[in-house]
Amino acid sequence: MNFHKILLSILSILFILLNLNAHSRDYIIVQSTTSIANTGLLDLLSSKFEKQTGIKVRPIAVGTGNAISNAKRGDGDVLMVHSKKDELKFISDGFGVKRHKLMYNNFIIVGPKDDPAKISQETDIKNIMKKISHSNQKFISRDDNSGTHIKENALWKLANINLFDNRKYIKTGTSMANTLNVASEMNAYTLSDKGTWIAFKNKNNLKILFEGGEEMHNEYGIIAINPQKFPHVEYDKSKEFIEWLITGAGKDVINNFTYNGEKLFFTN
Amino acid sequence: MLTFEKIQSAIFITLYVSIFSTIISFIFSMFFGYILAIYKFKLKKSIVIFLSSMTSIPPVCAGLLVYLLISRSGPLGWMEILYSPLAMILAQIVITFPIMITLIIKNIETDYPIYKEELLSYGASKKDIIFLLISNKLNIYITVILVGFGRAISEYGAAAIVGGSIDHFTRNMTATIALETSKGNVSLGIILGAILISLTLIISIILNTLKND
């Protein structure tokens, strides 16, 4: 019967394909938060880095929580997220080598232009969170364990508000841009990182109502995954990438990166 | 910015992954479909029922299943195929295989006894009967391929999880549509959707011309 031959040839093709992957890789996998990827910065950094060093960068754009859990399974060489507490825990658990400050911008509160909850006069984030929770306006939450969602929870805690479990509090469970889409359609308030907001195209009736202050600082960290924990990682290439980003030419790429003339990320 | 070149690469990845997954699924379902339809053995009924229930497996579940298998901490992690087109092909096989094999089994189960009765009396071997079944029922197999291919090319979730949606490498059309729509580029998403539908239309026309009426 020919079936055996066909089956054997398929298996051998698969085997050859697998063997091609078996030796040292010429690429690194970066587990990244969506805000760096969706704005287009990561694509730009990847192509520039590849041109200069020949090392390919394959970015996986997921939320911070998802990126960390993927990295903990060993699925990646570099972690690029924005939740300092979780990043430090990642390292103390032995998964990462060292946390480097990559860049920063800030979190913002966006909402309807006419601001029915009257938060734009406030200067203290605590009062803003209180006002939103006491008004009858909707608030859209990421609810996906991303860096922005972790920040949102911290802000509710700071304002001493128990997450109001009612119709005004809407959980999307998706990316920042998608959550902004929902906020835009429902004319509601939400917390966003500034990079995603600037690159977002469906703003409709939304605008920035609050930004600035220490509480709204949004810092991105970068960590090489520990080769002692996962021997398969390309540690030398990861280290080269990180150094290129924080001290080398990558830093200039970040500083010169604009979207419609607006600067999205700043380096230290 | 989404350039023409990016759309081109998304189309190429979509076709590459979906065509390969459909072909591999088809070969496997022919092989195992014939065995399951013709031979009688223990657990046969349970396997057939299990396979037909798997026809409605949600793509995200298939993706998650394959992800857990080929993740570095999973049993097949040593293969290093996570976040590659090969991983996407595997995930799509999990989606398309049950539907294709179920259709094939149904078909052979009804046709094989008829062919067997007539042809065995003429001295034909089992091999000859299977060969005749395949060549005479070509139309049905083309339909099976089209159904499997349709499920593979239209799924979103499976290939996105295991492929990682890496630009120019594993980002297929459905992942591009989801990404652009989530970024607020709704109109672009619709254009990409139209391109995807046109693609499936062209492939469907080509395969339909192969049918012998």
Side-chain angles (χ1 to χ4, degrees):
Chain A
M1 206 55 245
N2 281 351
F3 285 138
H4 298 284
K5 277 183 194 161
I6 295 167
L7 196 69
L8 265 178
S9 47
I10 290 169
L11 286 176
S12 44
I13 288 168
L14 281 176
F15 190 73
I16 291 162
L17 284 172
L18 294 180
N19 268 338
L20 288 178
N21 282 334
H23 48 78
S24 161
R25 290 179 277 135
D26 63 345
Y27 62 89
I28 52 171
I29 293 171
V30 178
Q31 288 285 351
S32 149
T33 168
T34 46
S35 44
I36 308 177
N38 282 358
T39 50
L41 174 62
L42 198 50
D43 282 349
L44 189 68
L45 288 170
S46 310
S47 65
K48 289 250 160 93
F49 183 65
E50 193 190 332
K51 245 175 235 160
Q52 288 184 13
T53 62
I55 302 168
K56 288 191 189 76
V57 177
R58 292 187 182 165
I60 311 297
V62 287
T64 292
N66 197 350
I68 289 176
S69 80
N70 286 349
K72 276 186 177 171
R73 298 182 65 91
D75 298 330
D77 302 293
V78 176
L79 181 67
M80 212 185 217
V81 288
H82 61 144
S83 180
K84 196 175 173 182
K85 220 170 122 188
D86 297 291
E87 289 164 47
L88 294 177
K89 188 165 182 302
F90 182 79
I91 290 163
S92 66
D93 288 347
F95 293 106
V97 178
K98 185 172 182 272
R99 179 183 189 271
H100 301 271
K101 287 180 182 175
L102 176 63
M103 58 191 184
Y104 68 91
N105 59 15
N106 52 335
F107 288 111
I108 52 173
I109 303 270
V110 298
K113 270 182 190 142
D114 53 347
D115 188 20
K118 304 266 172 296
I119 62 164
S120 50
Q121 312 133 7
E122 292 292 339
T123 51
D124 186 3
I125 184 68
K126 276 187 238 171
N127 293 339
I128 288 173
M129 298 314 270
K130 272 181 195 152
K131 269 196 163 173
I132 292 173
S133 76
H134 294 149
S135 74
N136 54 6
Q137 297 302 309
K138 291 191 177 83
F139 186 90
I140 318 287
S141 168
R142 288 281 295 275
D143 194 41
D144 63 348
N145 213 8
S146 59
T148 311
H149 180 226
I150 293 165
K151 185 74 197 176
E152 185 208 316
N153 283 341
L155 291 179
W156 291 124
K157 210 174 165 189
L158 188 77
N160 216 359
I161 294 163
N162 280 326
L163 281 178
F164 36 107
D165 191 20
N166 62 27
R167 281 182 198 166
K168 292 186 310 187
Y169 190 66
I170 290 153
K171 301 169 177 179
T172 61
T174 54
S175 69
M176 189 66 250
N178 221 2
T179 304
L180 283 169
N181 263 335
V182 177
S184 158
E185 293 304 327
M186 297 182 111
N187 218 14
Y189 290 85
T190 192
L191 177 78
S192 172
D193 65 281
K194 197 162 181 192
T196 309
W197 167 256
I198 292 172
F200 181 63
K201 293 205 183 71
N202 191 22
K203 288 182 177 126
N204 281 352
N205 200 27
L206 296 183
K207 72 171 214 177
I208 299 176
L209 295 171
F210 180 77
E211 62 179 320
E214 204 181 309
E215 283 305 327
M216 303 297 266
H217 187 65
N218 178 23
E219 189 179 81
Y220 294 87
I222 186 164
I223 300 167
I225 288 159
N226 196 347
Q228 279 161 348
K229 192 101 180 173
F230 297 110
H232 64 267
V233 298
E234 292 284 344
Y235 180 62
D236 292 332
K237 292 187 177 103
S238 307
K239 225 167 86 178
E240 199 178 335
F241 182 56
I242 292 173
E243 265 160 28
W244 182 81
L245 280 173
I246 56 177
T247 55
K251 195 173 173 177
D252 302 326
V253 179
I254 297 172
N255 277 322
N256 294 330
F257 183 68
T258 56
Y259 196 97
N260 287 343
E262 252 185 292
K263 211 173 148 177
L264 271 67
F265 300 101
F266 304 83
T267 55
N268 298 87
Chain B
M1 205 40 226
L2 193 80
T3 55
F4 177 67
E5 191 253 328
K6 272 195 176 186
I7 298 176
Q8 240 180 343
S9 97
I11 291 174
F12 174 75
I13 290 160
T14 303
L15 290 179
Y16 170 73
V17 169
S18 300
I19 288 175
F20 264 94
S21 65
T22 312
I23 291 172
I24 295 171
S25 262
F26 180 68
I27 294 168
F28 275 92
S29 19
M30 285 293 266
F31 183 73
F32 292 108
Y34 266 84
I35 291 175
L36 279 166
I38 294 171
Y39 297 98
K40 289 187 171 64
F41 52 90
K42 251 188 182 176
L43 289 175
K44 176 179 160 170
K45 213 171 176 185
S46 335
I47 294 172
V48 173
I49 290 171
F50 172 73
L51 283 171
S52 73
S53 74
M54 289 293 278
T55 54
S56 52
I57 187 172
V60 267
C61 292
L64 202 59
L65 197 78
V66 176
Y67 170 70
L68 290 175
L69 272 178
I70 61 175
S71 161
R72 262 295 170 173
S73 307
L76 301 179
W78 52 270
M79 286 179 167
E80 264 186 17
I81 56 168
L82 186 66
Y83 305 135
S84 73
L86 194 60
M88 298 164 81
I89 292 174
L90 271 181
Q92 291 196 345
I93 288 174
V94 174
I95 301 170
T96 53
F97 177 70
I99 199 160
M100 291 170 100
I101 195 171
T102 306
L103 289 172
I104 287 173
I105 290 171
K106 281 267 153 7
N107 224 314
I108 298 164
E109 266 179 346
T110 44
D111 285 344
Y112 182 72
I114 305 166
Y115 273 68
K116 193 175 143 191
E117 216 164 280
E118 274 197 30
L119 293 169
L120 276 184
S121 56
Y122 289 112
S125 67
K126 216 170 211 176
K127 203 170 151 184
D128 297 328
I129 298 173
I130 292 171
F131 181 74
L132 274 171
L133 258 177
I134 295 175
S135 51
N136 278 321
K137 296 286 173 179
L138 200 65
N139 289 1
I140 287 159
Y141 296 117
I142 288 173
T143 309
V144 170
I145 289 174
L146 270 175
V147 169
F149 182 74
R151 184 125 158 93
I153 202 169
S154 61
E155 67 86 22
Y156 173 67
I161 290 177
V162 296
S165 190
I166 300 166
D167 193 22
H168 280 94
F169 185 57
T170 57
R171 187 176 297 163
N172 61 12
M173 285 297 275
T174 48
T176 314
I177 293 170
L179 182 69
E180 291 303 325
T181 311
S182 84
K183 281 194 215 166
N185 284 334
V186 184
S187 53
L188 190 61
I190 290 171
I191 294 169
L192 290 171
I195 295 174
L196 187 63
I197 292 166
S198 323
L199 271 180
T200 53
L201 186 72
I202 292 166
I203 287 162
S204 162
I205 290 169
I206 294 171
L207 281 180
N208 272 303
T209 54
L210 291 178
K211 284 188 179 177
N212 42 2
D213 294 311

